[in-house]
Amino acid sequence: GAAVRFTGVRRVHRGGTVALDGVDLAVPHGSIFGVIGHSGAGKSTLIRMVNALDRPTTGTVEVDGVDLHWLSGDELRAAQKRTGMVFQQFNLLETVSVRDNVAMPLRLDGVRAAEARRRAADALEFVGLGSMADRRPRELSGGQRQRVGIARAIVRNPRVLLCDEATSALDPTTTAQVLQLIARINEEYGTTVLVVTHEMDVIKDLCHEVAVMESGRIIEQGSVLDVFVRP
Ligand code: ADP
Ligand code: ADP
């Protein structure tokens, strides 16, 4: 089975906008899968569904074979733990330390403080920010802030890492470093990575497979070499 599977997914937002118009998608376990499209194509709606932040009007979304639609509150929270999300604008809490930002998902899960802090320190070490744990986010550069966002996304050891325009706010050099870090998470932990972006370079530099979205539909899909390089 796939790590993430969309079957016939349609999403009509309040107000009647059709954000997804019959999406079928299978993200293989262990792959780095990119979805590319212009603004308004439906990418954000799509990736938020994998984290159950949004849900289909019709159709199904499965993560590791579990259909997210019919779950109770506890089951839904368990399913959400299988994913970690990285955001374009980092979404860090400015009033607490870098370490406490990274520890937050664990604390919300009920992990005791000492263990949460230890695991947050490990995640910060992995992203190369071990020495920044006591700083506040505002003291860090954009690239460092995004690495904190990535540490927070992997601290629960998710099966699927979700990246929503994760490098769109960063300059090219910083982007390259963040993409390398995401690739290293995929290689070292076997984490499946689902990326949505409007940037072709992100697809070419990071992804194995790609789906092209337009007006809520996938208009082309395949290996990055077949879709963008060979033709
Ligand atoms: P993308 O991430 O590719 O820019 P989105 O999924 O954000 O695309 O948006 C797809 C379409 O759905 C757009 O027309 C957008 O305005 C609309 N849309 C997205 N979220 C909402 C929402 N919560 N309520 C109403 N319309 C929305
Ligand atoms: P809307 O009223 O905006 O059309 P819904 O009624 O489909 O949207 O509700 C979407 C909200 O439901 C999301 O904020 C999500 O957090 C929540 N939700 C509750 N249970 C689920 C679930 N099993 N799968 C996905 N989202 C869920």
Side-chain angles (χ1 to χ4, degrees), residues 165-209:
E165 300 282 2
T167 56
S168 299
L170 305 175
D171 64 60
T173 306
T174 312
T175 291
Q177 291 165 353
V178 166
L179 295 183
Q180 260 181 30
L181 176 59
I182 293 169
R184 195 155 64 83
I185 291 164
N186 170 259
E187 276 163 30
E188 293 191 19
Y189 297 118
T191 310
T192 304
V193 179
L194 176 61
V195 168
V196 305
T197 182
H198 66 278
E199 296 176 308
M200 181 65 92
D201 286 347
V202 170
I203 301 292
K204 285 187 171 164
D205 294 348
L206 180 66
C207 298
H208 310 141
E209 293 195 44

Side-chain angles (χ1 to χ4, degrees), residues 4-5 14-16 18 24 34 44 55-56 62-63 78 105 107 116 125 146 156 168 171 176 188 198 204 211 214 230:
V4 175
R5 185 184 299 278
R14 236 179 282 260
V18 180
D24 295 302
S44 220
R55 58 172 151 185
E62 293 158 274
V63 177
R107 297 293 286 146
E125 206 63 55
Q146 191 55 298
R156 297 196 292 193
S168 299
D171 64 60
E188 293 191 19
H198 66 278
K204 285 187 171 164
E214 208 177 279
R230 287 197 195 112

